[in-house]
Amino acid sequence: MTRLDRIDYVEGSRLLARDLGDTARNEARWQGLHVRGLHDTWGVATGLGLALTPSRRSVVVQAGAAFDCQGQVFSLAESLELPEPADLVSGIAVPTFDVVMGRNGPRWEPTGGGPGQPGFGQRVRIGMDIPLGRCMRLPWGELTAPSSDLRKTVHPMTRPRVGFGVTPAGGLTWTPANWSIRAIVDTSAANFSSTPRYVAWIATQPDMSGFIGPFISLSSFYPTQFTVRLVAISTLGDSVIGVQLGLLGRVATMRIAWAGVESNAGCSSNPPGGFV
């Protein structure tokens, strides 16, 4: 089933195993599209930590969940012990092994190298397989503590948050300042969590007869507000006070449009190793 229709049931109709399977696959497809299209991320979402067993020859993978690069969820309902890696790596005294999470659960994969190996093994499909940690196998068979340096975790949001608005006519409180007038624009409705980059422009231009402008500039940026400043030049040679009064008399019908873009920190969602 490849369509994205919502499946519904009618009272009195037969409920087949295929119907339940279609429902599960359909919901998984919707979830995958949501994760890829909205969150644009993949990796460990929760849990799936690694710990050595007392023998130091195997690891325990804790319960948890992860998303692959197609947005599909991998889950482990309870902790699972992975026996010691059985692969032989010829010519390397201290080979390295990765624990990766795939659709069939966690498994060992040899990197094919020793300490400091930068890449992953040939059987690892990064993005479809999610790295959980890396161990080295010592010559006497024990494993070193799992390293999380190459562990891939999801991040809340990679795409920027964009907020915008238009002030109502007469909705700003303007005050004189040098050759200009200024006002504070409230942006709290955008729910920015950090200070974004703001841009603003005059959405409703008043009659500026006798003046050149107004020219707009912004300052004093915060997550919930910024200051807008208007400057004009009198073609009649008005004084500073005359320019300010001229601007104040014209802003009653003026509307200021603004937009803010808040970037989001986090690692890139692009899978390493060129896998798409």
Side-chain angles (χ1 to χ4, degrees), residues 37-41 154-163 190-197 260-269:
L38 181 62
H39 300 288
D40 194 19
T41 188
V154 299
H155 43 97
M157 183 167 57
T158 60
R159 296 179 180 178
R161 176 186 293 275
V162 179
N191 294 318
F192 294 124
S193 58
S194 61
T195 302
R197 295 183 179 273
V261 180
E262 179 187 11
S263 62
N264 290 274
C267 56
S268 170
S269 63

Side-chain angles (χ1 to χ4, degrees), residues 101-115:
M101 183 72 172
R103 299 200 175 194
N104 295 321
R107 68 183 192 274
W108 288 108
E109 286 291 350
T111 67

Side-chain angles (χ1 to χ4, degrees), residues 1 39 44 68 153 156 194 205 223-224 239 248 257 274:
M1 181 176 178
H39 300 288
V44 177
D68 70 5
T153 59
S194 61
Q205 181 76 29
T224 58
S239 64
L248 290 172

Side-chain angles (χ1 to χ4, degrees), residues 22-198:
D22 286 344
T23 299
R25 285 186 290 272
N26 195 52
E27 292 303 319
R29 178 62 172 154
W30 275 109
Q31 177 179 266
L33 291 173
H34 171 88
V35 172
R36 292 188 65 187
L38 181 62
H39 300 288
D40 194 19
T41 188
W42 65 278
V44 177
T46 182
L48 298 179
L50 302 179
L52 284 178
T53 60
S55 69
R56 303 186 66 86
R57 292 178 177 269
S58 58
V59 299
V60 173
V61 184
Q62 299 170 352
F67 293 98
D68 70 5
C69 65
Q70 295 182 346
Q72 300 302 307
V73 64
F74 301 160
S75 62
L76 194 61
E78 57 186 20
S79 297
L80 174 70
E81 181 177 343
L82 284 183
E84 59 184 303
D87 292 84
L88 298 177
V89 182
S90 60
I92 299 177
V94 184
T96 56
F97 296 84
D98 291 314
V99 179
V100 298
M101 183 72 172
R103 299 200 175 194
N104 295 321
R107 68 183 192 274
W108 288 108
E109 286 291 350
T111 67
Q117 169 72 20
F120 298 94
Q122 296 181 353
R123 296 180 301 198
V124 177
R125 302 179 67 201
I126 289 299
M128 298 295 288
D129 292 323
I130 300 165
L132 302 182
R134 174 170 290 185
C135 295
M136 293 184 292
R137 187 172 63 193
L138 301 174
W140 50 91
E142 292 185 357
L143 300 172
T144 60
S147 169
S148 59
D149 291 345
L150 298 177
R151 181 181 176 90
K152 178 68 171 69
T153 59
V154 299
H155 43 97
M157 183 167 57
T158 60
R159 296 179 180 178
R161 176 186 293 275
V162 179
F164 57 90
V166 181
T167 63
L172 297 179
T173 301
W174 296 92
T175 58
N178 297 326
W179 285 84
S180 64
I181 60 174
R182 62 187 178 187
I184 295 177
V185 177
D186 181 9
T187 64
S188 57
N191 294 318
F192 294 124
S193 58
S194 61
T195 302
R197 295 183 179 273
Y198 289 110

Side-chain angles (χ1 to χ4, degrees), residues 118 229 266:
R229 180 170 173 257

Side-chain angles (χ1 to χ4, degrees), residues 198-229:
Y198 289 110
V199 294
W201 60 98
I202 299 172
T204 304
Q205 181 76 29
D207 179 14
M208 293 299 293
S209 300
F211 289 90
I212 300 174
F215 305 100
I216 188 171
S217 63
L218 311 180
S219 62
S220 303
F221 306 112
Y222 298 96
T224 58
Q225 66 182 49
F226 65 88
T227 298
V228 60
R229 180 170 173 257

